[in-house]
Amino acid sequence: GENVEQHPSTLSVQEGDSAVIKCTYSDSASNYFPWYKQELGKRPQLIIDIRSNVGEKKDQRIAVTLNKTAKHFSLHITETQPEDSAVYFCAAKTDQGAQKLVFGQGTRLTINP
Amino acid sequence: DTEVTQTPKHLVMGMTNKKSLKCEQHMGHRAMYWYKQKAKKPPELMFVYSYEKLSINESVPSRFSPECPNSSLLNLHLHALQPEDSALYLCASSPGGQGNYGYTFGSGTRLTVV
């Protein structure tokens, strides 16, 4: 089955700097890669996603890149703000077989003022 | 309505109790999911319902019993739980079928088994 590895597990950056979180996946059939943000005590919220027919997607300060050959994808947050502090989860999913969304282990991002 | 609603938000139950968690969505989604999330861990899939039929059971102990009465509702019946079952239980939904769409998560039920 699919296995998603996420790094780093914790990340601390100065406000205004950029943050990058990386994930690798094992199943070459995976074709959908969402990123979720989870604040303490709250639900995971979808912040951006990318499908395997696209290499990059951007939404304001957030971007995701996908390298299908290397089977890795990354989340980029620019001009970080204190409200970006949260746990971020990457995930991968395939249309084939058991259609399960498999999560990475999460990255705790802290933005220092 | 673009939300998944879960009730109750908090639940404390004894190991001999029977309780149910409820989940509701009115987005016309045809796939619904139960996840379990322990502190500082990612959500862990328990069950998947697709078009109101159970399609995935991730080898979950029988003390957890899912039910999908209709396309908008999903229940999780709990019986004889153990303290290690204490966790945040998240319901999610997605449009279903082929094609990859983001899951919408509910706010969860924080369950404590005493």
Side-chain angles (χ1 to χ4, degrees):
Chain A
E2 176 64 279
N3 182 51
V4 178
E5 298 284 338
Q6 182 172 347
H7 299 280
S9 57
T10 60
L11 179 60
S12 182
V13 301
Q14 288 298 119
E15 182 177 354
D17 288 350
S18 296
V20 180
I21 302 170
K22 299 182 179 183
C23 289
T24 60
Y25 61 98
S26 60
D27 188 350
S28 56
S30 287
N31 55 2
Y32 176 66
F33 307 93
W35 285 88
Y36 288 86
K37 175 184 180 183
Q38 188 174 28
E39 297 177 65
L40 190 62
K42 297 194 175 181
R43 75 183 82 190
Q45 288 197 295
L46 179 69
I47 56 171
I48 196 167
D49 56 13
I50 192 167
R51 298 172 193 187
S52 58
N53 58 349
V54 176
E56 183 174 358
K57 184 176 178 180
K58 190 173 181 180
D59 182 4
Q60 299 183 0
R61 297 186 296 108
I62 294 173
V64 57
T65 58
L66 171 65
N67 183 327
K68 285 178 57 181
T69 303
K71 290 192 282 189
H72 66 70
F73 57 112
S74 301
L75 178 71
H76 305 253
I77 306 175
T78 58
E79 301 172 12
T80 53
Q81 301 168 2
E83 53 265 36
D84 294 330
S85 294
V87 177
Y88 291 80
F89 292 101
C90 64
K93 183 174 179 289
T94 174
D95 271 343
Q96 302 176 17
Q99 297 184 32
K100 303 190 296 186
L101 190 64
V102 178
F103 286 87
Q105 290 300 303
T107 296
R108 180 170 299 279
L109 175 63
T110 302
I111 309 300
N112 302 307
Chain B
D1 187 352
T2 58
E3 289 195 348
V4 175
T5 303
Q6 287 187 247
T7 56
K9 293 191 184 305
H10 301 274
L11 178 63
V12 179
M13 62 185 290
M15 289 188 283
T16 59
N17 290 160
K18 286 185 180 181
K19 296 286 185 183
S20 296
L21 309 185
K22 297 185 183 301
C23 174
E24 189 169 3
Q25 57 87 15
H26 295 288
M27 295 179 280
H29 286 178
R30 301 312 299 271
M32 296 185 76
Y33 313 84
W34 280 114
Y35 280 85
K36 173 182 177 180
Q37 188 176 27
K38 300 282 263 185
K40 301 184 180 181
K41 295 290 186 182
E44 180 184 336
L45 183 66
M46 300 174 72
F47 302 104
V48 178
Y49 272 84
S50 179
Y51 293 84
E52 299 157 51
K53 295 190 186 306
L54 182 65
S55 61
I56 296 177
N57 175 341
E58 290 287 273
S59 302
V60 179
S62 59
R63 58 185 183 269
F64 295 91
S65 176
E67 177 194 20
C68 188
N70 60 55
S71 60
S72 299
L73 295 174
L74 186 66
N75 298 322
L76 186 63
H77 303 298
L78 314 173
H79 174 54
L81 295 193
Q82 303 296 310
E84 58 265 30
D85 296 322
S86 298
L88 179 67
Y89 287 83
L90 292 162
C91 174
S93 70
S94 70
Q98 293 289 320
N100 296 300
Y101 301 97
Y103 289 22
T104 301
F105 281 88
S107 295
T109 294
R110 189 160 298 281
L111 174 68
T112 303
V113 181
V114 298

